[in-house]
PDB file of all heavy atoms in Angstrom:
ATOM      1  N   ASP B 116     -31.566-123.729  64.686  1.00 95.00           N
ATOM      2  CA  ASP B 116     -32.008-123.027  65.888  1.00 95.00           C
ATOM      3  C   ASP B 116     -32.497-121.615  65.583  1.00 95.00           C
ATOM      4  O   ASP B 116     -33.412-121.116  66.212  1.00 95.00           O
ATOM      5  CB  ASP B 116     -30.820-122.954  66.857  1.00 95.00           C
ATOM      6  CG  ASP B 116     -31.275-122.938  68.285  1.00 95.00           C
ATOM      7  OD1 ASP B 116     -32.326-123.567  68.570  1.00 95.00           O
ATOM      8  OD2 ASP B 116     -30.610-122.282  69.086  1.00 95.00           O
ATOM      9  N   ASP B 117     -31.851-120.993  64.616  1.00 95.00           N
ATOM     10  CA  ASP B 117     -32.148-119.593  64.301  1.00 95.00           C
ATOM     11  C   ASP B 117     -31.959-119.371  62.807  1.00 95.00           C
ATOM     12  O   ASP B 117     -30.867-119.012  62.350  1.00 95.00           O
ATOM     13  CB  ASP B 117     -31.196-118.675  65.104  1.00 95.00           C
ATOM     14  CG  ASP B 117     -31.373-117.202  64.700  1.00 95.00           C
ATOM     15  OD1 ASP B 117     -32.361-116.877  64.011  1.00 95.00           O
ATOM     16  OD2 ASP B 117     -30.496-116.403  65.064  1.00 95.00           O
ATOM     17  N   PRO B 118     -33.029-119.542  62.017  1.00 94.00           N
ATOM     18  CA  PRO B 118     -32.888-119.450  60.552  1.00 94.00           C
ATOM     19  C   PRO B 118     -32.493-118.066  60.057  1.00 94.00           C
ATOM     20  O   PRO B 118     -32.112-117.918  58.910  1.00 94.00           O
ATOM     21  CB  PRO B 118     -34.294-119.820  60.041  1.00 94.00           C
ATOM     22  CG  PRO B 118     -34.985-120.466  61.186  1.00 94.00           C
ATOM     23  CD  PRO B 118     -34.385-119.929  62.426  1.00 94.00           C
ATOM     24  N   THR B 119     -32.581-117.058  60.931  1.00 94.00           N
ATOM     25  CA  THR B 119     -32.219-115.717  60.450  1.00 94.00           C
ATOM     26  C   THR B 119     -30.769-115.372  60.746  1.00 94.00           C
ATOM     27  O   THR B 119     -30.337-114.266  60.539  1.00 94.00           O
ATOM     28  CB  THR B 119     -33.090-114.636  61.131  1.00 94.00           C
ATOM     29  OG1 THR B 119     -32.756-114.598  62.533  1.00 94.00           O
ATOM     30  CG2 THR B 119     -34.556-114.943  60.974  1.00 94.00           C
ATOM     31  N   ASN B 120     -30.010-116.368  61.230  1.00 95.00           N
ATOM     32  CA  ASN B 120     -28.622-116.070  61.581  1.00 95.00           C
ATOM     33  C   ASN B 120     -27.776-115.852  60.323  1.00 95.00           C
ATOM     34  O   ASN B 120     -27.389-116.789  59.630  1.00 95.00           O
ATOM     35  CB  ASN B 120     -28.050-117.209  62.420  1.00 95.00           C
ATOM     36  CG  ASN B 120     -26.695-116.864  62.992  1.00 95.00           C
ATOM     37  OD1 ASN B 120     -25.768-116.518  62.276  1.00 95.00           O
ATOM     38  ND2 ASN B 120     -26.586-116.927  64.316  1.00 95.00           N
ATOM     39  N   THR B 121     -27.522-114.581  60.052  1.00 95.00           N
ATOM     40  CA  THR B 121     -26.844-114.251  58.780  1.00 95.00           C
ATOM     41  C   THR B 121     -25.374-114.689  58.815  1.00 95.00           C
ATOM     42  O   THR B 121     -24.833-115.119  57.802  1.00 95.00           O
ATOM     43  CB  THR B 121     -26.886-112.732  58.536  1.00 95.00           C
ATOM     44  OG1 THR B 121     -26.291-112.062  59.662  1.00 95.00           O
ATOM     45  CG2 THR B 121     -28.290-112.248  58.329  1.00 95.00           C
ATOM     46  N   ALA B 122     -24.744-114.606  59.978  1.00 95.00           N
ATOM     47  CA  ALA B 122     -23.318-114.952  60.053  1.00 95.00           C
ATOM     48  C   ALA B 122     -23.095-116.405  59.623  1.00 95.00           C
ATOM     49  O   ALA B 122     -22.158-116.700  58.865  1.00 95.00           O
ATOM     50  CB  ALA B 122     -22.808-114.721  61.469  1.00 95.00           C
ATOM     51  N   ALA B 123     -23.932-117.296  60.087  1.00 96.00           N
ATOM     52  CA  ALA B 123     -23.753-118.720  59.741  1.00 96.00           C
ATOM     53  C   ALA B 123     -23.949-118.940  58.243  1.00 96.00           C
ATOM     54  O   ALA B 123     -23.210-119.681  57.580  1.00 96.00           O
ATOM     55  CB  ALA B 123     -24.717-119.580  60.537  1.00 96.00           C
ATOM     56  N   ARG B 124     -24.947-118.272  57.669  1.00 96.00           N
ATOM     57  CA  ARG B 124     -25.171-118.410  56.221  1.00 96.00           C
ATOM     58  C   ARG B 124     -23.970-117.909  55.426  1.00 96.00           C
ATOM     59  O   ARG B 124     -23.560-118.515  54.452  1.00 96.00           O
ATOM     60  CB  ARG B 124     -26.426-117.648  55.811  1.00 96.00           C
ATOM     61  CG  ARG B 124     -27.694-118.447  56.047  1.00 96.00           C
ATOM     62  CD  ARG B 124     -28.904-117.726  55.568  1.00 96.00           C
ATOM     63  NE  ARG B 124     -29.074-117.858  54.126  1.00 96.00           N
ATOM     64  CZ  ARG B 124     -30.209-117.578  53.497  1.00 96.00           C
ATOM     65  NH1 ARG B 124     -31.245-117.166  54.198  1.00 96.00           N
ATOM     66  NH2 ARG B 124     -30.309-117.702  52.190  1.00 96.00           N
ATOM     67  N   LYS B 125     -23.408-116.805  55.884  1.00 97.00           N
ATOM     68  CA  LYS B 125     -22.273-116.249  55.149  1.00 97.00           C
ATOM     69  C   LYS B 125     -21.042-117.139  55.282  1.00 97.00           C
ATOM     70  O   LYS B 125     -20.258-117.287  54.344  1.00 97.00           O
ATOM     71  CB  LYS B 125     -21.994-114.822  55.599  1.00 97.00           C
ATOM     72  CG  LYS B 125     -23.088-113.874  55.097  1.00 97.00           C
ATOM     73  CD  LYS B 125     -22.688-112.416  55.120  1.00 97.00           C
ATOM     74  CE  LYS B 125     -23.007-111.747  56.409  1.00 97.00           C
ATOM     75  NZ  LYS B 125     -22.897-110.269  56.299  1.00 97.00           N
ATOM     76  N   ARG B 126     -20.884-117.782  56.427  1.00 97.00           N
ATOM     77  CA  ARG B 126     -19.773-118.716  56.559  1.00 97.00           C
ATOM     78  C   ARG B 126     -19.936-119.884  55.607  1.00 97.00           C
ATOM     79  O   ARG B 126     -18.955-120.361  55.005  1.00 97.00           O
ATOM     80  CB  ARG B 126     -19.670-119.274  58.001  1.00 97.00           C
ATOM     81  CG  ARG B 126     -19.149-118.370  59.095  1.00 97.00           C
ATOM     82  CD  ARG B 126     -18.028-117.432  58.733  1.00 97.00           C
ATOM     83  NE  ARG B 126     -16.904-118.056  58.079  1.00 97.00           N
ATOM     84  CZ  ARG B 126     -15.956-117.364  57.438  1.00 97.00           C
ATOM     85  NH1 ARG B 126     -16.018-116.067  57.359  1.00 97.00           N
ATOM     86  NH2 ARG B 126     -14.950-117.994  56.873  1.00 97.00           N
TER      87      ARG B 126
END
Side-chain angles (χ1 to χ4, degrees):
Chain B
D116 209 32
D117 174 14
T119 67
N120 190 303
T121 57
R124 277 183 80 164
K125 288 198 270 194
R126 286 323 309 165

